[in-house]
Amino acid sequence: MAHKAAIAILLFVWCARANAQDQTGRIVFYRESHFRNSDYKPPVFCDGVELTRAVNGSYLEVTAPPGRHVCVVESDRGPATTIDVVPGSIAYLRVDITPTIKRHAFLITTTEAEFKQQKKLTPVATTHLNTVVPAEPPTQTPPTALTDTDSHERTANFGDLAVTTTNVDTGTATSAPDRHEVTVSLTVRNTGKGVVCASFNAKLKATFGFEYLGISSQAPSMQEMLPGESMQGSYFFDVKDGVQPLEMILELRGGTIRCKASGEAPLQDGSIPTEIRLDIHGLPGSSAKGSQPQGTFRPGAAGVGYPSCLFCPDPKYTAKARDAKLEGIVQLKVIIGTDGNATDIEIVKGVGLGLDEQAVNAVRTWRFKPAVGPNGDPVATVVPIEVTFRMLK
């Protein structure tokens, strides 16, 4: 009898362990191996917890309890992908990198077959999730009234640098169907008698207490800004639908607008505020028409995919830039046609000494796999492209 009881207990423990194992599922994150953007390692979050860095050519297997999990990449407030984990099953998510000026990562739901097609993916440490997002979101309080802000000013100053909000545009976000893109345009002007050098970090304060970090790919350039000179630019914010913007917060990097001499250490200026808040209520939309050429599409929106580079050789240095040891990034806006050729190339931000023209000449020779529309046919898209110039060490 004692022998039989022991067997029964062992069987009970084994079955309990088996049942416990069956009550979990798995999520596999992977990033394809590619030579471009191989140094870019965006973080992967699930349920607010950072799991790993999405290294080029790697995958991560996560054990998770059954239920709904919210996963994002690049930022814990970034575009979310919802995964419903089923006991004993595996969900697959691919980390993709967009071909934009500012490298941006996002998640795409894939299949086991697509995952197994990848070759030589390097595994990273397996981890576990212990949280589950409720299937039904909690009842939210009504949005904060649009007049409830800390500032009602359109213009504020960092010393002699005056910053004015001019217009706000909204559009479909490229990341997820439940988000939209808010673009806040502004003008900066040097009202003093000295040269200004400055840069900002931008945040958008919104209802429900949310704050969103801005993408500064089209921020105004304030390097060697002469007295009386003004610049225009904009910041982009990826915002959840149903959330209303209240004000834009600009943080001054380095705490000064004084241009730094060669070899000089950064100097804080206590007389200049480190942060200003600008009201964006009631601002008009952009009056510019035709900013996107007719017959072209924005990738990532309305079922339109992204073009990918097939043949993209590096540009050549000019003799002046090489002698000056100049490095930098030339930012371009380009139309990628249905034939994969780059046309209508515009310089958004240059670096000088002939490198801007070299970037344009190089991109003209690039060949792309065109983006595909919702019906599966190639479409022309307007995309930002960065061309990086670095001296070989």
Side-chain angles (χ1 to χ4, degrees), residues 158-159 255 268-273:
F158 289 111
Q268 297 282 333
D269 190 339
S271 64
I272 295 179

Side-chain angles (χ1 to χ4, degrees), residues 20-32:
Q21 291 174 354
D22 291 339
Q23 293 305 309
T24 63
R26 285 178 289 169
I27 307 174
V28 173
F29 300 87
Y30 68 96
R31 178 181 169 188
E32 297 175 336

Side-chain angles (χ1 to χ4, degrees), residues 93-112:
L93 291 175
R94 186 176 75 239
V95 179
D96 268 18
I97 313 297
T98 61
T100 57
I101 289 177
K102 179 179 186 277
R103 293 176 293 187
H104 175 62
F106 60 100
L107 294 173
I108 293 180
T109 304
T110 64
T111 63
E112 181 180 9

